[in-house]
Amino acid sequence: MDKGKEIVPLLKRGKEVMPPLVDVPVQDHPSTKRRNYGHYHQESGQSHFCKVILAPKLESLQLPLDFTKHFPTVPTEFKLKTNTGYAWRVTVRVINDRVTLDQGWATFAAVHQIMIGYMLTFKLLTPDTMKVIVFNNDGVEVVTKCKEHNNAFVVTT
């Protein structure tokens, strides 16, 4: 046997040999991004939240603090986009340091027939636009078209 030489045993037929793992140095990246398992994310706040309606009072809707605390500025209104393709304008007020959907929210809730037990999901699309999806008590997505919208787009000949 030769000294200083490694003896590699014969491989059994049909088995693959895996190459040894190699350490890859981690490089520094711009401070606005953070490293997370080989891919990168812009540092920002949450973009989604959901609300379960627990009370009959639907005049306004407070947004979660963990959602709004990352806003650089609070918009004066949000445009709420729905699964029907329509958008609703709702004014925003800060009440007791909480961002609240105010004027226009009650109409949105009435038209979409939002009731106790319904769940709504909100996704921030732009700094002043959110996608809203309404789910009923059974967890089924509710699709509600406003009668006025339908009449507004009727083409007469």
Side-chain angles (χ1 to χ4, degrees), residues 94-110:
V94 178
I95 303 170
N96 298 327
D97 295 326
R98 299 286 301 265
V99 177
T100 305
L101 298 180
D102 191 34
Q103 216 171 7
W105 173 252
T107 304
F108 178 88

Side-chain angles (χ1 to χ4, degrees), residues 22-137:
V22 178
D23 287 335
V24 177
V26 176
Q27 300 173 353
D28 289 332
H29 296 280
S31 63
T32 60
K33 296 180 180 181
R34 61 187 154 125
R35 182 166 169 73
N36 185 7
Y37 301 104
H39 62 277
Y40 305 93
H41 300 274
Q42 290 295 114
E43 287 186 11
S44 62
Q46 289 79 9
S47 61
H48 295 76
F49 72 92
C50 73
K51 279 279 199 178
V52 176
I53 304 302
L54 300 174
K57 183 181 173 187
L58 292 173
E59 290 85 28
S60 63
L61 183 75
Q62 285 187 341
L63 306 184
L65 282 174
D66 283 341
F67 179 73
T68 59
K69 71 182 179 184
H70 299 287
F71 287 7
T73 59
V74 176
T76 56
E77 69 178 22
F78 269 113
K79 186 169 30 171
L80 304 179
K81 288 188 169 188
T82 64
N83 52 8
T84 60
Y86 299 114
W88 296 78
R89 292 198 183 279
V90 177
T91 62
V92 175
R93 284 188 2 180
V94 178
I95 303 170
N96 298 327
D97 295 326
R98 299 286 301 265
V99 177
T100 305
L101 298 180
D102 191 34
Q103 216 171 7
W105 173 252
T107 304
F108 178 88
V111 167
H112 291 87
Q113 302 171 356
I114 297 171
M115 297 183 241
I116 294 174
Y118 277 33
M119 181 184 77
L120 291 80
T121 62
F122 294 81
K123 177 181 181 182
L124 190 63
L125 300 175
T126 67
D128 65 348
T129 305
M130 287 192 284
K131 168 85 175 180
V132 181
I133 301 175
V134 179
F135 296 90
N136 66 16
N137 291 333

